[in-house]
Amino acid sequence: MAKKQKDAGRKSTAAAAAERMIMGGMPQEEQDEELMQSPMRMVVASFIKDKIAMVGLCLFVIIFLCCMILPFFFPIELNYQDVTQANAAPGFGLLKVPDSLQGNVQALSVGSTFSVGLDKDGNVYEWGTFPTDKLKNIPAADEMGQLTQISAGYDHVLAVNAEGQIFTWGNDRMGLTSIPVELEVSRQPIKQVSAGHQFSLALTENGRLYNWGSAYLLSIYFPEGVQGNIAQFEDNPNIVIALTNDGRVEPLSNKPSAYTNVPEEVQGNTVDIALSDESAAALTADGQVYTWGNNVYGSMNVPEEIQGHVVDIEGGRYHYTAILDDGTVTSWGNNNFGQTNAPEMTGVTDIFTNYFGSYAIDENGNAESWGLDGYLMGTDQLGRDVFRRLLLGGRMTMTVGFIAVIISTFIGVLVGGISGYKGGKIDNLLMRLTEIVSSIPFLPFCIILSSILGNSISELQRIILIMFILGLLSWPGIARLVRGSVLAEREQEFVTAAKALGVKEFGIILRHILPNIITVIIVNATLDFATCMLTESSLSFIGFGVTEPNATWGNMLNGAQNGQVIENYWWRWLFPAIAFGICTISINCVGDGLRDAIDPKSKER
């Protein structure tokens, strides 16, 4: 009897020692808490202690929330394109007037992604992001003399000095540096100049208009009696309109268009004209503004409260800005870059509007600006904001990956659960089916299918098809994993007990076996999520996935195939690559952390 007690004492001592080793010398309170924790709480606690997994989870949650929420605050039109904003570098300050120019402004001009200005001494200032480095090659001050006028275009600048000499720098293609000989020999004072989109215009004091540059982009036709009688002109990439000395508005084109439908009310009574890219406006002597053309983005919706009070008007790409008789300014039309958020200022003497920005000058020579001030991540080859497309592309990529994972997980759990529980012929049949699906080459299959379908399906149908193909071909891995786990669990005592109690097979799988392997499924699904995102992006990258104008991280990276893009327009591929890399690495870190939390021995392996 005494010997048995001694043996029992030794066993209890050994058990206690083993328990202490397992607890790792924990304080008694922690040991008690550890023993009372449920398996799920132990998994969560172990996961939280994994710093790499927690960092990955935080990064993924941040990216996920940004892609899902921020598009509502930074909306983008899928079909929006603007070649004047193509390949703009990241950065702000497009409308930030230099401090040395403030209080001494003579003239300002808004270019595509940059601005130029003149002070009262005729010195030139440039700021913003430049479409070409040639814009920085400003002629020497002693060569140009005292400048009095300046105009910025898409990628070139036009300036005039007090002697009537014209200077141009920036893009020198398409004859932009070839100033007409007739203009140079006329020796007429220059009344107005404009650096347009790939062309230039100059109006002399005797009312004659000269143009040079691209002859294919813009064709000018002078109606009878107009040349030599022009008081003012306005231009856009489609047309030039002129205001004659007798107050008539004359479109300089012999082709009917929306711009040529000039209202009769303005003829003979116009004192100022303006052009946007889709409409025209005329200001009559009584302060009324009349518009005609295409009412894109509401550019023709002149505010009723300003009618009768306008003294000056200027046009941008899709908006207008006006000075009122009380010295204030107002804007209307498209506001995607804040172009209509005119400042509350008084004493305005002049305004300069073009493209997506505006400047207002007060009587002290100070300038106030509003509109497009830059792009956080630049623009792509079609002038679309990379930051906004990055958010939209992330939402699309994650959505496709998430739905594909749900489909593959559902099929994999169903097939693997039935196969593992039933065994025998059913197991053999289902595993052969799994092997057949696994043998299908995924990328070639998708490429062939995409080529066959071509344009016969809509873009939405293509996206849905990609999600289902990803899901239908990605389940064999999780099916095998679930089958192995079910094979192990079905031999446990609780399954035997459930069978003895008469629980149906479906109930045993769903209520008893599945909860014991759910953590394994979650880990596998997490890792598959990153895989599906990579696969979708690969398809989009090579042009067989989600196509333009819809954005995904894959088709945003498509430009990285071009050496010129990699070298000169790094922002077009770098930002999508960083976002995609961080997201997939974060998901994999989360999956590895979950695996280690569920199976602590995996760290030892």
Side-chain angles (χ1 to χ4, degrees):
M1 186 71 178
K3 186 178 180 182
K4 289 183 179 179
Q5 289 178 350
K6 286 181 181 180
D7 292 341
R10 290 193 196 99
K11 289 179 182 178
S12 62
T13 305
E19 187 175 338
R20 282 196 299 272
M21 290 178 64
I22 293 170
M23 293 303 182
M26 292 182 183
Q28 186 63 40
E29 295 80 3
E30 291 187 18
Q31 293 180 24
D32 294 340
E33 183 181 354
E34 185 75 15
L35 291 170
M36 293 174 63
Q37 281 184 346
S38 66
M40 183 58 70
R41 288 183 62 188
M42 292 178 64
V43 168
V44 172
S46 178
F47 180 81
I48 291 174
K49 291 177 183 177
D50 190 333
K51 295 180 179 180
I52 295 177
M54 286 302 297
V55 170
L57 178 62
C58 292
L59 288 175
F60 174 71
V61 169
I62 291 171
I63 295 173
F64 177 80
L65 292 177
C66 287
C67 292
M68 294 299 167
I69 296 173
L70 289 184
F72 294 103
F73 299 95
F74 298 95
I76 186 172
E77 296 180 28
L78 289 178
N79 295 313
Y80 173 85
Q81 297 180 15
D82 195 323
V83 294
T84 68
Q85 303 299 298
N87 296 318
F92 294 96
L94 272 61
L95 300 177
K96 184 174 175 54
V97 179
D99 294 337
S100 55
L101 185 57
Q102 287 287 12
N104 194 29
V105 176
Q106 178 185 189
L108 294 172
S109 183
V110 185
S112 56
T113 58
F114 68 100
S115 296
V116 295
L118 288 178
D119 62 18
K120 293 178 181 177
D121 298 323
N123 298 312
V124 179
Y125 296 79
E126 290 184 336
W127 59 95
T129 60
F130 303 104
T132 172
D133 289 337
K134 294 180 179 179
L135 283 165
K136 301 176 184 178
N137 300 329
I138 305 173
D142 55 355
E143 177 187 344
M144 293 190 294
Q146 180 78 24
L147 295 178
T148 58
Q149 298 181 56
I150 196 164
S151 176
Y154 168 55
D155 54 5
H156 77 290
V157 177
L158 208 59
V160 182
N161 64 13
E163 288 76 34
Q165 289 181 292
I166 296 178
F167 300 88
T168 181
W169 64 92
N171 181 9
D172 55 4
R173 303 187 307 273
M174 303 182 185
L176 287 172
T177 59
S178 303
I179 300 171
V181 177
E182 300 86 352
L183 176 60
E184 291 184 324
V185 302
S186 68
R187 298 187 180 277
Q188 286 286 325
I190 305 297
K191 186 176 183 180
Q192 182 185 352
V193 292
S194 175
H197 185 73
Q198 308 292 356
F199 61 87
S200 296
L201 297 162
L203 176 66
T204 58
E205 285 288 353
N206 65 354
R208 297 190 67 83
L209 182 65
Y210 297 86
N211 71 288
W212 64 98
S214 174
Y216 302 100
L217 182 64
L218 185 68
S219 177
I220 296 179
Y221 166 79
F222 293 97
E224 185 177 352
V226 172
Q227 183 71 299
N229 189 34
I230 300 174
Q232 178 189 344
F233 72 89
E234 295 293 334
D235 64 276
N236 66 21
N238 303 304
I239 197 171
V240 177
I241 63 171
L243 174 62
T244 63
N245 292 317
D246 55 357
R248 292 187 60 83
V249 179
E250 297 289 349
L252 303 185
S253 174
N254 58 356
K255 298 179 180 178
S257 67
Y259 305 101
T260 60
N261 298 323
V262 184
E264 285 298 326
E265 297 89 341
V266 307
Q267 298 294 24
N269 191 33
T270 300
V271 295
D272 196 11
I273 55 175
L275 264 180
S276 73
D277 270 29
E278 295 290 343
S279 63
L283 172 64
T284 56
D286 58 358
Q288 296 283 332
V289 177
Y290 294 85
T291 58
W292 64 97
N294 300 314
N295 192 20
V296 177
Y297 299 116
S299 60
M300 294 174 59
N301 300 334
V302 184
E304 285 295 330
E305 61 271 17
I306 72 170
Q307 291 289 22
H309 301 285
V310 180
V311 297
D312 191 11
I313 187 170
E314 294 284 338
R317 287 281 278 173
Y318 307 108
H319 75 289
Y320 291 99
T321 299
I323 303 178
L324 306 184
D325 52 15
D326 59 358
T328 60
V329 292
T330 186
S331 299
W332 67 92
N334 185 21
N335 195 39
N336 60 330
F337 297 116
Q339 306 97 299
T340 64
N341 298 335
E344 296 181 0
M345 58 185 300
T346 57
V348 177
T349 60
D350 207 352
I351 53 174
F352 300 93
T353 298
N354 205 355
Y355 290 93
F356 299 99
S358 299
Y359 293 97
I361 314 298
D362 62 18
E363 59 259 5
N364 299 318
N366 293 311
E368 189 82 21
S369 63
W370 66 99
L372 175 62
D373 194 44
Y375 299 94
L376 179 63
M377 295 182 180
T379 63
D380 63 10
Q381 73 278 14
L382 298 176
R384 300 171 299 190
D385 192 332
V386 170
F387 174 66
R388 300 188 184 208
R389 286 184 63 79
L390 187 70
L391 296 175
L392 200 65
R395 185 165 67 178
M396 177 64 74
T397 299
M398 290 185 189
T399 301
V400 171
F402 181 72
I403 294 177
V405 164
I406 290 177
I407 295 171
S408 65
T409 302
F410 176 78
I411 297 174
V413 170
L414 183 65
V415 173
I418 295 173
S419 178
Y421 186 80
K422 285 289 188 180
K425 293 182 179 179
I426 294 178
D427 179 28
N428 190 37
L429 178 64
L430 291 176
M431 286 301 100
R432 300 298 78 75
L433 175 64
T434 302
E435 291 169 1
I436 292 171
V437 175
S438 299
S439 66
I440 298 175
F442 181 76
L443 283 176
F445 176 78
C446 289
I447 292 172
I448 293 170
L449 187 62
S450 178
S451 300
I452 293 173
L453 294 175
N455 297 323
S456 61
I457 59 175
S458 66
E459 186 59 27
L460 178 61
Q461 291 172 329
R462 180 188 292 271
I463 294 170
I464 295 172
L465 181 64
I466 291 171
M467 290 188 289
F468 273 92
I469 291 176
L470 277 170
L472 292 173
L473 297 183
S474 302
W475 60 265
I478 193 171
R480 291 195 185 98
L481 185 66
V482 170
R483 173 182 175 271
S485 299
V486 172
L487 281 173
E489 292 294 328
R490 75 175 185 176
E491 304 301 330
Q492 299 294 327
E493 290 81 356
F494 65 88
V495 175
T496 305
K499 289 179 179 178
L501 291 172
V503 180
K504 294 182 179 180
E505 291 181 346
F506 182 76
I508 293 173
I509 296 174
L510 186 64
R511 297 173 55 189
H512 298 282
I513 296 179
L514 191 59
N516 286 280
I517 64 171
I518 191 66
T519 49
V520 178
I521 296 171
I522 291 173
V523 172
N524 190 79
T526 302
L527 297 174
D528 278 352
F529 181 35
T531 303
C532 286
M533 288 176 58
L534 284 167
T535 306
E536 181 281 321
S537 295
S538 300
L539 286 171
S540 298
F541 177 76
I542 60 179
F544 293 97
V546 180
T547 57
E548 300 279 2
N550 291 290
T552 72
W553 286 340
N555 63 29
M556 288 183 71
L557 287 168
N558 184 267
Q561 299 180 74
N562 189 317
Q564 185 179 5
V565 172
I566 294 175
E567 181 180 358
N568 300 319
Y569 309 124
W570 52 268
W571 58 89
R572 283 174 47 185
W573 59 268
L574 181 62
F575 293 119
I578 290 174
F580 192 29
I582 291 175
C583 189
T584 52
I585 292 172
S586 299
I587 295 171
N588 281 312
C589 288
V590 171
D592 290 341
L594 286 172
R595 181 193 60 206
D596 294 339
I598 293 167
D599 182 13
K601 293 183 180 180
S602 64
K603 292 183 180 180
E604 300 175 3
R605 297 195 294 267

